[in-house]
Amino acid sequence: MVAKLFKSVGWLRRSSMLRLSLLLSGIFAVGMAIAIFVAITLGQSAIERRVDTSLTALAGATILAEVTGDSPSMIMRGTAKLQGLPRPFSRAVDRGGGTIELDDDFLRSDIWRVLVTRDSNGQEVMVAVPLEESEQAQELLAGVLWTTTLVVILITIVLGLIAGLLAQRRLVRVRETLERLAGGDLAARTGHARSRDDLDDIAGQVDQTAQELEKLVAQTRHLSASLAHDLRTPLARLRSRLEMLPQGEARSDALEEANRMAGIFDTIMRVARIEAGQGREGFENVSLRELIEELEETFGPVVEDEGKTLKATISEAGTVVADRPMLVQAMANLIQNALVHGGDEITLIAKGRSIGVADNGRGVDPADYAEIVKPMVRLDSARSTEGTGLGLALVRAVTARHGAQHSLAPLNAKAAPAGLRVLLNFANL
Amino acid sequence: MRILLLEDDKQLGPWVSGGLREEGHVVDHFEDGKDALMAAMGQEYDLLILDRMVPGLDGLAVLKSLRASKDTTPALFLTAQGEVAARDEGFSAGGDDYLTKPFAFVELSARVNALGRRRDGSENSEAAATTLQYADLSLDLLARRCERQGQPIELMAKEFKLLEYFMRRPGRLVTRTMLLEQVWDMSFDPTTSVVETHISRLRTKIDKPFEEALLSTRRGEGYVFGR
């Protein structure tokens, strides 16, 4: 659950659309903050200038004696008579005027504009008006601006998220297509939406590449088929000529070589064919127990005649959907390998959904495991023995064809002859 | 047997037709699919040997046309395509056997004779039998029992199948490849001596304890069951 959540957050973190919208929102927020600050500052000083002008005019026109005093809308006193007013007023008078902020409300307002000017009699007076209303207007303005900013940012992020989700869905389709292609399904296409954006271009290019790939593989297959024809026919001619020769050792040796050549070619074709194979045609339910028992019966006497023993260990063997002849061939190759390169005890294994062959020979250096399954690779130690180096390549092709896993491991890592165990695991089917 | 051969290769065609004639068959050899189809429609053959890739109509198309007109003449495909899919294609087109190039002439000859006998219908009556009998050897297919001169012989499952295959074809050459395909269902050569080993085991059981050997080896060709 947590892992799943983390995974979904993972794609969010990687979504370029969302990243872009977050970045833009950030830039927008900073820009808006600066704009609001500047607007409020400029607005404030504009208001202050207007208030000052009005106050100066008011002070000059008013008869001091009548109007001097405090009221909620204006305070006007001689600069020498500031008793009873909070201290910021006298400090403002000392500065020659300005805007003051009080800790507590005084006459219903805590912000006042103070101006020192002269009245109509030429007396120096302090005129102060509350700025409460203009401050409220400023706060309202700032509030509106901030709310707008927030809404815009939210919309941007939501749009980014939606765009990210949409892009993500298309990207997932591209990725899935690529995965299917890598898995050998060359018919996979993104089916791009033709919305003419950059993502669509990529999807289109993936489709085009896949189409090219499919064509190339088809050509290669066709090439193999014609290669088979082109090489088999001369080989058949060669063979027919050899058969026309008088009986003798040279003739049978030559025929044997021709047969071997045909055999190698057969195997190469077979590996290519299995690797190119698609779909489940020819697949059937195969009981691994019966398969191993039949292999034991078929190959037991062969192994015995070589002076070795073949036994089968079967435990909880299951049933898999597989191409039976292919499995038989893969197992036959493994038995042949064990017989030629392995020890004198060969074991056929069926366990759960795995089958395999083990032997108690000197085994293979684990560093070489990846190497020996490649076509035509033969380790130096095996050069003296007969073989084509195609055995394990075929095993690998068969397991890949079934979506199964093959694994190589020492039979007994601690013992001196480590042995080798090759398993084909169909657990994922 | 009267055999139609469709093979365009200048070397292989005469080699196959020559070899078959030497064995006493009558062979009409064609190098073009259309000619072969006309001939096959015009007269009765005992067997068709068709190459898959030839000019005009290919072998597959020839056989499909013939099968469409209810012609049931046994057909053997010769081909350079050794792939299982190509093989299946041949069988689904109505082919009875399939031989991949290059092949040994004995292999072809053995298969030609096997298909020819099938045409006689002799095999059908044998297939219905529940007990196969040859000389003093009997094989009870239902009870899975084998006896020679009244003595019961224990056979493993594959040995039983092997013997059954031989007893259905007394006196006829059976090649290693035919045995691998028919008894073991292996369309590949397992390189190990599977056939040789099992033949040898079978011999130890049905021939060794008795005076007369019934299973003989023809070096480089295959095996023959019978006196």
Side-chain angles (χ1 to χ4, degrees):
Chain A
M1 178 69 200
V2 173
K4 206 176 167 187
L5 198 75
F6 193 77
K7 213 177 159 188
S8 65
V9 170
W11 85 254
L12 274 175
R13 275 207 332 253
R14 284 201 311 276
S15 163
S16 55
M17 288 286 179
L18 191 62
R19 276 190 202 175
L20 188 65
S21 67
L22 283 174
L23 181 71
L24 288 177
S25 302
I27 293 173
F28 180 67
V30 170
M32 278 307 279
I34 293 170
I36 292 169
F37 177 77
V38 169
I40 288 178
T41 312
L42 290 179
Q44 181 90 16
S45 55
I47 289 168
E48 283 168 2
R49 268 201 310 279
R50 278 193 68 143
V51 169
D52 288 358
T53 315
S54 321
L55 285 180
T56 310
L58 197 64
T62 311
I63 293 129
L64 177 69
E66 286 169 15
V67 197
T68 307
D70 302 339
S71 82
S73 56
M74 189 170 90
I75 303 171
M76 187 169 175
R77 296 193 188 179
T79 46
K81 303 173 184 167
L82 297 177
Q83 307 90 327
L85 294 178
R87 276 189 57 77
F89 283 93
S90 49
R91 279 209 294 272
V93 170
D94 293 344
R95 287 204 303 272
T99 303
I100 56 168
E101 256 181 80
L102 305 177
D103 294 338
D104 299 306
D105 277 5
F106 176 72
L107 293 176
R108 289 207 322 237
S109 179
D110 59 349
I111 296 187
W112 291 79
R113 181 70 184 169
V114 177
L115 185 75
V116 178
T117 183
R118 291 184 186 278
D119 63 10
S120 50
N121 299 330
Q123 284 287 117
E124 192 180 59
V125 292
M126 178 207 80
V127 193
V129 290
L131 284 182
E132 192 184 16
E133 275 168 31
S134 69
E135 193 210 20
Q136 274 171 358
Q138 298 257 19
E139 273 174 6
L140 188 70
L141 178 69
V144 167
L145 287 176
W146 275 122
T147 312
T148 313
T149 310
L150 213 67
V151 169
V152 170
I153 286 177
L154 271 178
I155 289 174
T156 315
I157 290 178
V158 168
L159 283 180
L161 206 65
I162 291 170
L165 270 172
L166 287 178
Q168 177 72 11
R169 266 175 49 196
R170 289 161 69 193
L171 281 173
V172 163
R173 207 155 59 205
V174 171
R175 204 181 56 209
E176 279 171 358
T177 306
L178 286 173
E179 276 169 5
R180 276 173 63 200
L181 285 172
D185 178 5
L186 298 180
R189 297 287 183 276
T190 62
H192 56 113
R194 293 179 212 291
S195 49
R196 301 210 173 277
D197 60 2
D198 49 356
L199 262 183
D200 202 49
D201 284 349
I202 290 176
Q205 269 163 20
V206 167
D207 283 0
Q208 208 180 333
T209 311
Q211 201 174 338
E212 279 300 308
L213 197 66
E214 198 177 19
K215 210 164 76 191
L216 274 176
V217 169
Q219 276 170 1
T220 311
R221 239 178 267 169
H222 181 72
L223 189 73
S224 316
S226 38
L227 203 66
H229 189 262
D230 292 356
L231 278 177
R232 271 176 201 280
T233 308
L235 206 60
R237 278 185 215 142
L238 175 69
R239 213 186 181 292
S240 68
R241 278 184 188 272
L242 289 175
E243 282 204 21
M244 285 188 265
L245 292 175
Q247 296 273 358
E249 204 172 313
R251 175 184 180 268
S252 42
D253 284 356
L255 278 172
E256 204 174 300
E257 283 303 324
N259 285 347
R260 190 169 302 157
M261 224 157 98
I264 293 174
F265 199 70
D266 250 6
T267 314
I268 294 175
M269 285 294 300
R270 218 171 272 271
V271 171
R273 170 79 202 164
I274 294 171
E275 279 176 346
Q278 274 175 25
R280 298 238 143 175
E281 206 181 321
F283 279 41
E284 57 188 316
N285 277 324
V286 178
S287 156
L288 296 183
R289 166 180 291 275
E290 282 169 21
L291 181 79
I292 293 296
E293 281 171 354
E294 197 186 317
L295 285 167
E296 188 189 12
E297 205 205 319
T298 297
F299 289 98
V302 179
V303 175
E304 218 170 276
D305 282 4
E306 295 277 328
K308 302 182 174 188
T309 58
L310 182 78
K311 63 179 183 5
T313 58
I314 301 170
S315 62
E316 293 161 23
T319 301
V320 297
V321 178
D323 187 313
R324 195 172 198 281
M326 260 193 225
L327 293 193
V328 169
Q329 189 172 4
M331 289 296 283
N333 282 15
L334 291 177
I335 295 169
Q336 166 75 1
N337 276 356
L339 205 54
V340 175
H341 308 292
D344 53 7
E345 265 178 42
I346 300 172
T347 314
L348 301 177
I349 303 162
K351 188 171 193 300
R353 294 169 72 79
S354 300
I355 49 172
V357 176
D359 75 85
N360 63 344
R362 63 196 151 91
V364 174
D365 183 349
D368 290 328
Y369 285 167
E371 202 60 23
I372 57 175
V373 295
K374 289 180 186 163
M376 300 295 203
V377 168
R378 306 191 64 205
L379 297 179
D380 289 339
S381 53
R383 297 224 178 266
S384 53
T385 52
E386 206 169 282
T388 58
L390 286 167
L392 279 176
L394 189 133
V395 172
R396 189 175 68 159
V398 168
T399 43
R401 178 77 180 77
H402 286 84
Q405 314 277 324
H406 69 267
S407 65
L408 285 78
L411 181 63
N412 186 350
K414 285 170 193 149
L420 183 67
R421 188 181 62 213
V422 185
L423 278 183
L424 316 184
N425 188 353
F426 298 87
N428 295 334
L429 295 187
Chain B
M1 267 199 279
R2 187 167 190 90
I3 299 175
L4 179 147
L5 172 68
L6 172 61
E7 168 62 81
D8 65 314
D9 192 277
K10 296 280 182 270
Q11 163 88 39
L12 292 177
W15 174 61
V16 171
S17 58
L20 289 174
R21 281 187 191 118
E22 248 173 61
E23 293 197 343
H25 302 293
V26 178
V27 183
D28 289 344
H29 179 196
F30 298 93
E31 295 188 351
D32 184 287
K34 274 181 241 151
D35 298 345
L37 181 61
M38 296 305 286
M41 289 197 154
Q43 71 173 100
E44 189 97 344
Y45 284 98
D46 297 312
L47 177 68
L48 312 170
I49 302 177
L50 307 168
D51 186 28
R52 280 286 301 266
M53 287 190 189
V54 287
L57 274 175
D58 68 36
L60 205 63
V62 169
L63 188 64
K64 273 185 183 163
S65 311
L66 286 174
R67 290 287 185 261
S69 58
K70 303 272 186 282
D71 189 326
T72 57
T73 314
L76 166 74
F77 277 114
L78 296 181
T79 181
Q81 294 164 315
E83 299 171 19
V84 180
R87 197 178 291 252
D88 292 346
E89 234 173 57
F91 284 128
S92 64
D96 299 274
D97 203 355
Y98 205 98
L99 197 53
T100 309
K101 293 176 186 174
F103 53 86
F105 186 79
V106 282
E107 191 72 50
L108 175 70
S109 156
R111 282 164 198 258
V112 163
N113 289 322
L115 286 174
R117 303 289 165 105
R118 194 185 291 180
R119 178 85 160 155
D120 297 343
S122 55
E123 201 159 301
N124 289 347
S125 60
E126 275 173 34
T130 58
T131 305
L132 300 176
Q133 184 80 41
Y134 187 89
D136 50 3
L137 180 69
S138 72
L139 197 64
D140 186 334
L141 300 178
L142 288 182
R144 316 288 301 167
R145 258 203 313 266
C146 175
E147 275 182 13
R148 189 165 181 189
Q149 292 177 5
Q151 295 178 29
I153 299 170
E154 286 278 333
L155 291 181
M156 303 288 285
K158 285 290 174 207
E159 291 163 356
F160 194 93
K161 209 170 167 189
L162 195 57
L163 185 57
E164 182 188 337
Y165 188 80
F166 275 119
M167 289 184 77
R168 285 188 188 279
R169 293 157 186 79
R172 276 140 67 184
L173 179 70
V174 172
T175 66
R176 192 167 168 273
T177 323
M178 287 162 85
L179 289 174
L180 279 172
E181 282 175 9
Q182 301 298 324
V183 178
W184 281 276
D185 192 21
M186 287 179 180
S187 61
F188 64 98
D189 188 341
T191 57
T192 43
S193 47
V194 169
V195 175
E196 293 79 351
T197 306
H198 282 268
I199 293 273
S200 143
R201 298 271 161 138
L202 184 60
R203 254 194 203 128
T204 314
K205 291 181 181 177
I206 64 162
D207 277 349
K208 270 247 177 85
F210 307 94
E211 261 176 37
E212 190 187 19
L214 292 175
L215 198 52
S216 57
T217 306
R218 278 208 207 152
R219 242 182 95 74
E221 296 186 345
Y223 306 93
V224 178
F225 174 82
R227 283 171 166 152

